Amino acid sequence: FFRSSIQDGYIKNADINFNSNTANLSKENLNGKAKILNLDYKYDNDFPILKSMDVDVIIEGAKTQFIINQAYSSEILLSNGTIDMDWKGLEYTTLYVNATANGPTKSLTDFIHQDEHASMNKANIDLRKIKGKVNTTIYIEIPLKPGTKNLYDIKAEIPNASLNIFKGYVKLEKAKISGVFNGEQLKLHGVGKLNSFNTDLNFIYNVENQ
């Protein structure tokens, strides 16, 4: 799993104790710490990789915690994050990811398939031109068993978004938007000004059928 998902990285230092005379993964038989820089982690084939991760690793027996000091998903900066793993074999182990993030709202559109962006462009809609900053809380469960799907609970708040569509004839301004992403569907709701009219906004994107 890690061979395919870890794309790059540099071990700055590590101090790991391992008793090779036993298969018992107790804290006494396996423990240590490591510092990893510039780690690139591919957690899903369809979504942007986590890049330039600064990670502290704590190993206590079968339990490993990756403390994310900082990482980037596109241009969104993740911080105060953790990835927790309690090793029970590949079939029964799940990674639990928690983090907060903030950055340009346009980076959220990297979770929308390129074919869908192309379809919207034909209608003179380019969500990648959205302006504003997003604040996000992230929770992801990543089962290591092959063929299983990740579980996402990502919440976003965009306090002041703007977007020009239809060649600039329609202008969205001062929009306050909240959103939820669960891995299968992205839902956005908000209020704002659309060509100076008070407007309710709703957007739903289905990942499976685009």
Side-chain angles (χ1 to χ4, degrees):
F1 172 81
F2 285 110
R3 286 195 194 99
S4 61
S5 60
I6 292 179
Q7 307 288 298
D8 200 0
Y10 172 76
I11 300 174
K12 183 178 180 180
N13 53 63
D15 183 7
I16 299 174
N17 302 303
F18 173 54
N19 182 359
S20 60
N21 295 321
T22 177
N24 180 12
L25 290 181
S26 66
K27 181 179 178 180
E28 292 71 28
N29 294 326
L30 177 60
N31 59 79
K33 296 181 179 180
K35 178 75 170 180
I36 303 177
L37 301 176
N38 296 324
L39 177 65
D40 290 350
Y41 175 47
K42 183 179 181 181
Y43 61 94
D44 192 302
N45 289 329
D46 295 325
F47 301 140
I49 66 174
L50 294 177
K51 298 191 68 174
S52 303
M53 298 176 69
D54 178 336
V55 179
D56 291 310
V57 184
I58 300 174
I59 302 171
E60 295 182 342
K63 295 183 179 181
T64 302
Q65 183 176 61
F66 303 83
I67 300 174
I68 304 172
N69 300 309
Q70 74 171 32
Y72 286 90
S73 175
S74 298
E75 297 179 58
I76 294 178
L77 173 64
L78 283 75
S79 59
N80 300 321
T82 58
I83 302 175
D84 291 284
M85 180 181 73
D86 187 357
W87 181 254
K88 300 175 181 176
L90 190 66
E91 294 284 309
Y92 305 103
T93 300
T94 299
L95 303 185
Y96 298 92
V97 181
N98 288 276
T100 58
N102 56 76
T105 302
K106 66 178 182 178
S107 292
L108 292 178
T109 63
D110 290 339
F111 287 86
I112 298 176
H113 197 275
Q114 293 300 317
D115 291 345
E116 187 66 10
H117 281 300
S119 296
M120 287 188 285
N121 278 339
K122 293 179 180 179
N124 293 312
I125 300 173
D126 190 353
L127 295 179
R128 290 170 293 193
K129 293 182 179 179
I130 191 168
K131 297 179 181 179
K133 298 290 186 179
V134 61
N135 300 310
T136 309
T137 58
I138 298 169
Y139 175 75
I140 310 174
E141 293 183 10
I142 306 174
L144 301 192
K145 181 179 179 180
T148 55
K149 289 187 176 182
N150 298 343
L151 172 66
Y152 295 85
D153 184 9
I154 299 176
K155 297 180 175 66
E157 297 290 337
I158 308 167
N160 188 14
S162 62
L163 176 67
N164 293 347
I165 59 176
F166 303 132
K167 296 182 178 180
Y169 288 110
V170 178
K171 297 181 179 180
L172 171 67
E173 298 175 303
K174 299 179 180 178
K176 184 177 181 180
I177 301 172
S178 59
V180 178
F181 178 68
N182 63 10
E184 297 180 356
Q185 194 174 70
L186 170 65
K187 292 183 178 181
L188 299 175
H189 173 72
V191 294
K193 296 282 188 179
L194 199 61
N195 284 7
S196 300
F197 288 94
N198 293 328
T199 305
D200 287 329
L201 307 165
N202 288 284
F203 176 82
I204 297 176
Y205 174 71
N206 296 302
V207 174
E208 292 296 328
N209 59 19
Q210 301 178 23

